[in-house]
């Protein structure tokens, strides 16, 4: 919950806008501001105070405890010009809240946390449990001192400008080690603990068994990703409660799935009880990995039959591949999600000219693998290979990365051992359409005229089909120095089915600084004025030029009804 506190009429007006926009997330605190701040501080995860920073500093100072648990506090000034992240920038989420409040109120977010200001992620914001000298090592990173990464386990980390060696280290490990001076431990969620339990097995027994297994193997409980078991034990209280205390989810598999997993220690007992010769080992190994602790049973002091089993597996790191469309060129046509993925990746793969388009957005430490035109397959292979090594990779393309671009060659290479995310981008046909007017108001296709990868007969057949079906056509890759006869040929095919006066829109460098566009018609278009930076959109038989804009009616019948 976000507590809202204000003192003046202007503050109250801004407060009410926030309360109206986020009714379920906010609570208004009325009354004397001192009491209101104290009550909100005790009851809410975050505060937005429509007060001077000085006043808020004085009010919250005596209340501050620990940055891990204190609420995040954002101040908005009387004029509503700034949303200042005051305390709890990371732990309390105040930096993010300042951004959101700023967006809603039209105020500039003010974030002073050093790591955010210079684009280096705080070591406590990487999404992994951390131990050790977080402040000291983060300071060293900010000061440009060498900080080395010692990765015992591969994990897809966001970029951090690590040095080959240094006095400070960040150690990525699932081992039960203590941080030494100048060291930060990051705990990857690399361990899967398979558990079995007979009905009514107490939580202490399950938990004791798991903790004992980890202790003996020298592993850290903070690296447990999940407890895994058989479907039949989904609601077994001892398992559910053990997972809750460890702060991890329970994942279950059917007995049939588990029976197929090869394990070193199958036995008859679970086979009779739940229908698989192994629960603990099989569920830990169900999605692959290395068995670090084979099945062990709880030893009960009173000599009763054991009631719980467990096994520990280190799962292989799953790298992630984000296939990111950058849009046609203009920065404000790059989506916020694309920006987030670019900053999330530690390896960026792309064509050099596209890398230039977004280089300023990348975080320090991002490894950039750029290559020239024509190296598509190599780029696709590199991106997938890096992801398979456990890295967080972004593969970029202009427009939409799935449209005549890198997504298909990359995904044709990828196996299911990596996670793939696609971020859609504004493709050239849409960017051009918006400039021309509304040419895509009814059915439309895109056809690439590049016959480098596609035989001309195939392209021609598709152009003919679009011509016969009276579909609006946007030509990508319309013409280059070495390919000059394809566009006239394609236009001639369309002209067999459309009037010479059919509108044709030509857009070059849509949304880029040297953007140009013109509206002409099938009879008048001079192909020599078209190049590789251009898309050409040909209307259907209903498309008209209206007030200098290209308009394709939404539907003939709808149009009649409207007129
Ligand atoms: N993935 C890209 C298309 C790559 S094919 C996208 O979705 O837009 C390359 C062709 O796209 C170019 O030859 C040109 O025809 C077209 N194109 C790409 N960006 C363009 C832009 N900003 N303006 C006009 N045409 C563009």
């Amino acid at each position: 919950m976000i507590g809202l506190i204000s003192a003046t009429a202007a503050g109250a007006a801004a407060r009410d806008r926030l309360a109206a926009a986020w009714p379920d997330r906010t609570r208004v605190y009325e009354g004397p501001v001192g009491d209101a701040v104290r009550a909100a501080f005790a009851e809410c995860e975050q505060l937005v105070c429509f007060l001077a920073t000085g006043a808020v500093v004085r009010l919250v100072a005596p209340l501050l405890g620990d940055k891990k648990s204190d609420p995040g506090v954002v101040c908005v000034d009387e004029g509503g010009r700034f949303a200042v992240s005051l305390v709890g920038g990371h732990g309390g989420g105040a930096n993010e809240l300042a951004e959101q409040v700023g967006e809603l109120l039209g105020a500039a977010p003010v974030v002073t946390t050093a790591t955010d200001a210079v684009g280096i992620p705080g070591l406590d914001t990487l999404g992994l449990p951390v131990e050790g000298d977080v402040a000291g090592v983060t300071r060293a990173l900010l000061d440009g001192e060498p900080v080395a990464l010692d990765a015992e386990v591969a994990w897809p980390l966001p970029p951090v400008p690590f040095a080959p060696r240094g006095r400070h280290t960040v150690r990525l490990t699932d081992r039960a080690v203590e941080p030494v001076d100048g060291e930060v431990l990051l705990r990857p969620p690399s361990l899967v603990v398979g558990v079995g339990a007979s009905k009514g097995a107490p939580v202490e027994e399950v938990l004791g068994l798991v903790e004992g297994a980890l202790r003996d193997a020298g592993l850290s409980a903070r690296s447990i990703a999940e407890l895994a078991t058989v479907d039949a034990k989904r609601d077994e209280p001892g398992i559910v409660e053990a997972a809750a205390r460890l702060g991890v989810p329970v994942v279950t598999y059917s007995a049939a799935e588990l029976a197929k997993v090869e394990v070193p220690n199958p036995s008859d007992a679970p086979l009779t009880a739940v229908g698989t010769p192994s629960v603990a080992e099989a569920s830990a190994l169900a999605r692959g990995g290395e068995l670090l602790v084979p099945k062990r049973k709880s030893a009960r002091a009173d000599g009763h039959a054991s009631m719980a089993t467990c096994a520990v597996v280190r799962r292989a790191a799953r790298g992630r591949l984000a296939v990111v469309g950058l849009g046609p060129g203009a920065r404000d046509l790059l989506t916020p999600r694309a920006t987030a993925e670019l900053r999330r990746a530690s390896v960026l793969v792309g064509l050099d000219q596209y890398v230039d388009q977004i280089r300023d957005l990348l975080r320090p430490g991002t490894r950039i693998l750029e290559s020239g035109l024509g190296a598509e397959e190599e780029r696709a292979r590199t991106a997938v290979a890096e992801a398979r090594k456990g890295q967080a990779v972004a593969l970029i393309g202009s427009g939409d990365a799935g449209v005549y671009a890198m997504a298909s060659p990359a995904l044709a290479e990828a196996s299911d051992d990596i996670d793939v995310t696609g971020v859609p981008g504004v493709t050239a046909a849409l960017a051009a359409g918006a400039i021309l007017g509304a040419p895509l108001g009814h059915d439309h296709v895109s056809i690439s005229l590049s016959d480098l990868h596609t035989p001309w007969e195939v392209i021609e057949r598709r152009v003919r089909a679009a011509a016969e079906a009276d579909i609006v056509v946007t030509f990508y890759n319309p013409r280059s120095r070495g390919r000059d006869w394809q566009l006239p040929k394609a236009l001639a095919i369309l002209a067999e089915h459309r009037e010479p006066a059919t509108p044709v829109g030509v857009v070059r460098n849509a949304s880029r600084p040297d953007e140009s566009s013109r509206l002409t018609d099938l009879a008048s278009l001079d192909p020599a004025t078209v190049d590789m930076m251009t898309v050409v959109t040909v209307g259907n038989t209903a498309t008209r030029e209206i007030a200098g804009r290209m308009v394709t009616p939404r539907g003939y019948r709808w149009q009649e009804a409207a007129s």
Side-chain angles (χ1 to χ4, degrees):
M1 191 57 66
I2 305 172
L4 306 180
I5 299 110
S6 64
T8 63
R15 173 199 71 189
D16 292 344
R17 277 171 65 198
L18 221 58
W22 299 336
D24 301 332
R25 288 175 66 192
T26 54
R27 184 186 307 155
V28 171
Y29 284 79
E30 312 253 24
V33 284
D35 295 341
V37 167
R38 281 184 286 276
F41 199 92
E43 293 164 11
C44 297
E45 289 82 52
Q46 295 177 317
L47 276 66
V48 179
C49 301
F50 299 86
L51 301 166
T53 51
V56 180
V57 166
R58 285 177 206 289
L59 287 169
V60 300
L63 310 174
L64 294 174
D66 185 323
K67 72 171 180 181
K68 291 206 191 83
S69 50
D70 283 340
V73 180
V74 169
C75 288
V76 177
D77 65 300
E78 181 76 11
R81 288 170 306 157
F82 304 107
V84 184
S85 167
L86 193 67
V87 288
H90 289 158
N95 291 353
E96 217 181 312
L97 183 61
E99 301 272 352
Q100 294 175 4
V101 169
E103 192 153 317
L104 216 139
L105 298 178
V110 179
V111 172
T112 57
T113 322
T115 47
D116 290 72
V118 301
I120 293 173
L123 292 171
D124 54 346
T125 65
L126 300 180
L128 303 180
V130 284
E131 294 162 37
D133 187 10
V134 176
V137 177
T138 301
R139 182 82 256 147
L141 275 171
L142 288 174
D143 291 346
E145 285 176 34
V147 176
L149 175 68
D150 174 7
E152 289 170 19
V153 186
W155 212 258
L157 286 181
V160 178
F162 289 118
R165 63 186 69 78
R167 214 159 48 76
H168 300 274
T169 34
V170 172
R171 186 170 170 195
L172 189 62
T173 180
D174 54 19
R175 301 199 165 276
V177 287
E178 292 295 322
V180 298
D181 266 1
E183 185 179 63
V184 163
L185 301 181
L186 284 177
R187 300 297 190 182
S190 50
L191 304 178
V192 177
V193 180
V195 288
S198 47
K199 202 164 166 15
V203 55
E204 289 75 21
E205 186 164 346
V206 177
L207 207 54
L209 181 67
V210 171
E211 286 169 348
L214 293 175
R215 197 166 44 242
D216 294 350
L219 297 168
S220 168
R222 302 190 79 189
S223 273
I224 302 179
E226 60 198 28
L227 294 194
T229 189
V230 63
D231 283 346
K233 297 292 172 185
R234 190 191 298 276
D235 300 317
E236 184 61 43
I239 294 179
V240 172
E241 180 58 25
R245 291 198 199 168
L246 290 165
V248 299
V250 177
V251 172
T252 66
Y253 299 95
S254 70
E257 279 175 280
L258 294 184
K260 280 189 251 155
V261 180
E262 232 176 277
V263 297
N265 302 295
S267 74
D268 289 338
L271 189 58
T272 353
V274 288
T276 162
S278 166
V279 171
E281 286 182 349
S283 52
L285 281 167
R287 275 190 269 141
E290 178 197 356
L291 186 64
L292 300 180
V293 181
K295 178 175 77 177
R296 48 157 76 193
K297 303 177 190 172
S298 52
R300 304 193 67 195
D302 57 11
H304 277 83
S306 72
M307 296 178 77
T309 55
C310 94
V312 183
V313 160
R314 180 180 287 141
R315 58 179 182 175
R318 282 179 76 80
R320 68 197 295 282
L321 174 64
V323 186
V324 181
L326 302 181
R331 178 53 60 85
D332 59 355
L333 291 179
L334 174 74
T335 64
R337 191 182 297 187
T339 306
E341 285 295 347
L342 296 174
R343 296 170 65 78
R344 169 73 182 76
S346 61
V347 181
L348 183 89
V349 183
L351 186 65
D352 39 20
Q353 72 196 64
Y354 301 150
V355 175
D356 287 340
Q357 200 175 316
I358 45 85
R359 202 181 293 274
D360 61 303
L361 293 175
L362 302 178
R363 285 189 140 142
T366 309
R367 191 149 54 92
I368 300 174
L369 304 174
E370 47 192 323
S371 43
L373 261 178
E376 275 80 21
E377 282 181 26
E378 183 206 314
R379 271 200 294 283
R381 253 198 306 278
T382 306
V384 171
E386 289 291 333
R388 296 190 71 178
K389 283 191 222 156
Q391 304 279 2
V393 182
L395 175 62
I396 57 172
S398 83
D400 184 278
V403 177
Y404 309 120
M406 295 304 298
S408 8
L411 299 198
E413 287 280 325
S415 36
D416 68 359
D417 55 356
I418 59 171
D419 293 325
V420 175
T421 328
V423 182
V426 177
T427 187
L430 299 184
I435 292 164
L436 294 168
L440 309 182
H442 211 287
D443 300 333
H444 53 276
V445 288
S446 293
I447 297 179
S448 167
L449 292 183
S450 168
D451 53 2
L452 293 179
H453 302 290
T454 309
W456 176 253
E457 299 75 63
V458 173
I459 298 172
E460 186 172 322
R461 183 149 39 90
R462 292 178 185 176
V463 176
R464 202 169 290 287
E468 285 167 3
D470 197 24
I471 298 175
V472 174
V473 184
T474 300
F475 292 116
Y476 282 66
N477 300 308
R479 184 169 176 276
S480 68
R481 234 171 283 136
R483 287 187 303 104
D484 56 2
W485 56 265
Q486 288 86 345
L487 180 62
K489 174 79 193 165
L491 293 172
I493 295 169
L494 288 173
E496 289 170 24
H497 298 266
R498 298 180 196 182
E499 294 296 324
T502 302
V504 176
V506 179
V507 179
R508 184 169 193 277
N509 279 327
S511 93
R512 297 177 187 149
D514 46 353
E515 168 186 307
S516 65
S517 71
R518 76 206 130 87
L519 194 50
T520 168
D521 60 42
L522 261 184
S524 326
L525 174 68
D526 175 7
T529 58
V530 171
D531 67 8
M532 276 301 273
M533 306 293 164
T534 311
V535 282
V536 177
T537 297
V538 182
N540 66 18
T541 51
T543 304
R544 294 286 170 266
E545 180 183 332
I546 299 174
R549 303 187 187 96
M550 184 171 174
V551 180
T552 300
R554 265 203 54 200
Y556 309 98
R557 217 182 287 147
W558 177 78
Q559 202 74 12
E560 275 163 26
S563 61

